[in-house]
Amino acid sequence: MPDADIFYHFAIAKLYATEGFVRTLPWPELGIQSTEFTDFHFLIHLTQIPFALLPINGNTSIKLYIFSCLVFLLYQLFRYFESIQFRNSYYLLALFFILGSTLFTGRLLFGRGNIILFGLLFLSLRIWNQNKNKYLFALGFIAVWFYSGFLLLITVFGLLCLVNRSKIVFQRFLYLSFGIFLGITIHPSFPNQWGGYFLELIIQSFPPKAVEPIAEWLPPTKELILLGFLPSLPLLILSFVQSKKLKIESPSNVFLLLTIVTLLFAGASLRIFEITWLFFFLFIFHKIQLNSRIQFAIIIILIIFQLPYTYRKISDQFTSTNPNQIFVTTEWIKRNISPKERIFLPWADYPYFTYKNPEYVYLFGLNPLYAWAKNPDLYITQKNFFNGSANGFQMIPQVLGYKVVVFNKQYYSYAATLFGELNSNYSLGFRNEQYDVYIFNEEIKNTKKETNIKTK
């Protein structure tokens, strides 16, 4: 179930395949990536290149990549629990990991970097128990090059080190930490990544009020939190009942502590919630032992009740984010607008357009926070334009020299309607159920006007 971000990452992968590593991106005007591109996902982009070059439909290649990442994650999950002599059914382990939290399931299917990060975490936990310091060093290094969430490793293994307090464990932590330090120092984006880390890890945690919030910054609803933890409560109760009989090992203490601490902040954003549930999962299955009948009953309940409900929720999400309307729009632009043209485009659509039409220049650069950091005044100007909230807003694209304006009517229907009524210098060139494309009148004679297009 690819979301917008992965289309952007595949656009980067295709750019690397043709241009090699780049220090700036050719697409955004309002975004720090236009002057200093910080690639937190460098190794992810390299692994995406073979999929991006497959001679098949682009959406299919992206789904194959997501599937491959999920296979990697589940394989590392199984190997880790195998290394700690897991006594329960692996069918229960797999089904509960995949279906135990509806929200967590949906987040996995988006194809974000968290799939790789969680896989690296399980791999690191297994290597940690095997006392292979050189591998820990290597994993720390590549974790930095894969994803900005590498601090998760520092947190988990730092706490494991504090709980154990042995010389051998301290040496393991030093090897991992040195690998992470070297990965930060020897980095394709060095030294620009420091500014990027500041935006990603600090400013994004406390975004300015003027910046339009993205989904990951928003707190999950009460329904999502309930769906995230409700199926796990019976196992949680059983695990505490057994706590008097079973020895609580140090990893279990650490995962319980991390669950409690992150749960205090889980209401802040979806990104924190998914980490909370992962620690919750690890805590439960580290210490619980169930007889075969109880395990079988849980598996049946997951399949009969949780699977249909999760499928329905994810189907709704897939329908609401289906990009077919977007791609029909990008095809029209490719046929009717000259390459290198500047397009006034809202930030949420930037990933799809750079993936499908990388030969154009766009107003935005993926994340509104990056636009705000590049030019706060211009960011506020375009925000007022798409909201239709400023007097004379309809003149903003013309003043800035944009001859093509794209409206996503799902989010900005009010501004799209007013723009067509108030600015006679632009004419409607294309329309479908989700998008309006306006062309400056000097250019309209070179385009093929298509309106009221119905698409499946």
Side-chain angles (χ1 to χ4, degrees), residues 382-391 393-394 412 414-416 418:
Q382 67 77 34
K383 182 183 176 183
N384 290 337
F385 170 78
F386 284 112
N387 290 336
S389 58
N391 291 331
F393 81 95
Q394 72 276 6
Y412 310 111
Y414 175 73
L418 283 183

Side-chain angles (χ1 to χ4, degrees), residues 61-325:
S61 63
I62 289 176
K63 291 178 182 180
L64 284 175
Y65 175 77
I66 295 176
F67 179 79
S68 301
C69 290
L70 289 171
V71 169
F72 167 76
L73 172 58
L74 289 172
Y75 176 75
Q76 297 304 333
L77 170 72
F78 293 148
R79 291 299 308 275
Y80 169 63
F81 276 95
E82 181 184 48
S83 71
I84 61 172
Q85 299 178 342
F86 184 63
R87 295 180 176 85
N88 298 306
S89 166
Y90 279 88
Y91 293 106
L92 174 63
L93 182 72
L95 279 174
F96 204 85
F97 186 75
I98 296 172
L99 296 175
S101 169
T102 301
L103 180 57
F104 186 75
T105 303
R107 299 284 290 175
L108 287 181
L109 296 181
F110 282 158
R112 296 177 181 271
N114 58 349
I115 303 179
I116 299 294
L117 177 64
F118 296 159
L120 290 176
L121 174 63
F122 289 130
L123 176 58
S124 300
L125 284 168
R126 178 162 58 90
I127 299 300
W128 179 272
N129 292 333
Q130 294 175 354
N131 198 25
K132 296 180 179 179
N133 292 340
K134 293 181 180 179
Y135 290 101
L136 284 174
F137 167 81
L139 285 171
F141 184 91
I142 67 171
V144 176
W145 284 37
F146 261 112
Y147 192 56
S148 59
F150 64 87
L151 291 176
L152 181 68
L153 300 183
I154 288 287
T155 303
V156 172
F157 292 105
L159 286 174
L160 286 174
C161 186
L162 288 175
V163 169
N164 194 286
R165 296 184 182 179
S166 70
K167 183 178 179 181
I168 294 177
V169 171
F170 183 67
Q171 286 178 345
R172 297 175 192 170
F173 183 69
L174 284 180
Y175 272 90
L176 177 72
S177 301
F178 185 63
I180 289 175
F181 172 77
L182 202 62
I184 294 174
T185 307
I186 306 173
H187 194 280
S189 296
F190 186 84
N192 293 337
Q193 83 265 31
W194 291 110
Y197 287 145
F198 181 71
L199 283 175
E200 282 277 327
L201 303 175
I202 306 298
I203 301 298
Q204 190 162 282
S205 300
F206 309 95
K209 292 183 179 179
V211 178
E212 184 178 358
I214 63 178
E216 286 198 342
W217 303 351
L218 298 175
T221 62
K222 293 180 180 179
E223 179 191 11
L224 289 178
I225 294 178
L226 187 64
L227 292 174
F229 286 104
L230 185 61
S232 310
L233 291 181
L235 282 184
L236 178 65
I237 294 171
L238 284 172
S239 64
F240 277 112
V241 169
Q242 292 186 349
S243 61
K244 296 180 180 179
K245 304 176 183 180
L246 299 176
K247 180 181 178 181
I248 302 178
E249 302 173 353
S250 59
S252 180
N253 282 329
V254 168
F255 296 136
L256 177 59
L257 175 62
L258 287 170
T259 299
I260 294 172
V261 171
T262 56
L263 184 60
L264 297 176
F265 301 96
S269 74
L270 295 173
R271 184 176 290 184
I272 297 177
F273 174 89
E274 67 187 19
I275 296 175
T276 301
W277 194 88
L278 180 69
F279 290 141
F280 187 57
F281 171 87
L282 284 169
F283 164 69
I284 288 176
F285 282 97
H286 246 269
K287 61 193 297 293
I288 197 169
Q289 291 183 15
L290 304 170
N291 64 49
S292 57
R293 291 182 178 179
I294 294 178
Q295 292 184 60
F296 182 74
I298 294 173
I299 290 173
I300 295 300
I301 290 172
L302 286 173
I303 293 175
I304 293 178
F305 296 102
Q306 188 71 359
L307 178 60
Y309 185 81
T310 301
Y311 179 81
R312 185 169 70 252
K313 296 293 289 186
I314 291 176
S315 296
D316 293 341
Q317 174 71 15
F318 178 78
T319 302
S320 65
T321 58
N322 193 323
N324 285 345
Q325 298 282 340

Side-chain angles (χ1 to χ4, degrees), residues 338-357:
S338 301
K340 304 299 181 183
E341 185 63 75
R342 301 164 69 229
I343 299 178
F344 206 83
L345 182 76
W347 67 268
D349 296 307
Y350 174 83
Y352 301 108
F353 278 74
T354 53
Y355 174 73
K356 283 291 188 177
N357 292 351

Side-chain angles (χ1 to χ4, degrees), residues 34-47:
S34 61
T35 54
E36 50 181 52
F37 171 48
T38 300
D39 193 354
F40 302 124
H41 309 80
F42 180 70
L43 289 182
I44 287 181
H45 293 147
L46 293 189
T47 61

